[in-house]
Amino acid sequence: MKEEIKAYDNVLDLIGNTPLIKLKKITHNMKGNYFAKVEAFNPGHSSKDRIALHIIEEAERQGILKPGDTIIETTSGNTGFSLAMVSIIKGYKCILAVSSKSSADKIDMLKTMGAMVYVCPANVSADDPRSYYEVAKRLHNETEGSVYINQYFNELNIEAHYKTTGPEIWEQTAGKITHLVACSGTGGTISGTAKFLKEQNPEIKVIGIDAYGSVLQKYHETREFDSNEIYPYRIEGLGKNLIPTATDFDKIDKFEKVTDESSAHTARELANTEGLFVGYTSGAAMQGLKQLDEEGEFNEESNIVVIFPDHGSRYMSKIYNDDWMNQQGFFDTESELIEQIEYV
Ligand code: PMP
């Protein structure tokens, strides 16, 4: 008998089809059944692999991209990593314009994945020619055969999740999902997933997680942009100081806001209760679930799916570092610090 070799063609074959994992310990005193869609299982360790692959393959289908062409985006985060990874496999150049606030680790990681990184000053306005938005636009205009991903304003960001994340969750829950809870940054994840799920069952309730200091919740309630809502916060990837067109506010029933401090502690709690080493926004989403449960949002029959966007390894110098936590004033007491050191 001839055995076939079982191997993937390349890492891109592993994008999507992430597992749904029950959350049992951290939810022990909460009403309902909780399931986490753990996006860290993507090869680039985040949900952004889905949009990178979809947007690039859509440009290929439309004949916009040819081998050797260039992918351009403004991000030092997960999207940058995913775009670099897809570009390497498919033979594109990847140019990322990033803010000078980005950590050296992040920039090194992108360079390791073959990206060309332009570091732009953080302290200039978005319309300044030196800003990373303007640098990306200029490079796009100057570079023939280039695609500007523009994730905050790209409909394909929503479509990627409509075509993959939504159907996966519907199938994994056998259609029994009652609530979807997800972080909102560009809004692509929550909008695309919600669109698919609500088409199957309009009764499914969709709740977005937002940060204090972001305009999303207020905009959802009033449909007006209120700059008074904006102030600095620490969670990266959650909330926004502008209204992204990649967010379909009509598909979201409500937003729940979470603090930097509670989200950081809840991320640590996920690691030492469920063994899930996930990112800061996953902590934020879990924190949102706790608050929603306290507000009486769920009952014993609820089947709640929460999306955990990325892996914990990207936050070693932040929420998983005791000195950082201490500097932020996130450890209230000396005993809390000692307890953290013991389990970290
Ligand atoms: N978490 C992290 C870590 C992210 O990088 C992002 C993307 N900005 C999100 C959550 C939110 O996902 P989306 O952009 O699809 O709303």
Side-chain angles (χ1 to χ4, degrees), residues 28-29 64 76 87-88 91-93 98 173 191 215 235 253 281 291 306 320:
H28 74 276
N29 56 3
I64 299 167
S76 62
S87 299
I88 287 284
Y92 300 122
K93 295 186 206 82
V98 310
T173 59
S191 306
V215 293
I235 311 177
D253 293 291
T281 54
Q291 293 171 201
V306 60
Y320 298 119

Side-chain angles (χ1 to χ4, degrees), residues 46-48 51 77-79 151-152 157 161 183-190 236-238 247 279-282 309-310 315:
S46 88
S47 55
K48 296 295 179 180
I51 70 163
N78 289 322
T79 306
Q151 62 171 332
Y152 282 91
N157 177 357
H161 293 284
C183 296
S184 204
T186 67
T189 307
I190 190 165
E236 299 159 65
L238 184 66
T247 309
Y280 204 168
T281 54
S282 303
D310 72 351
Y315 305 88

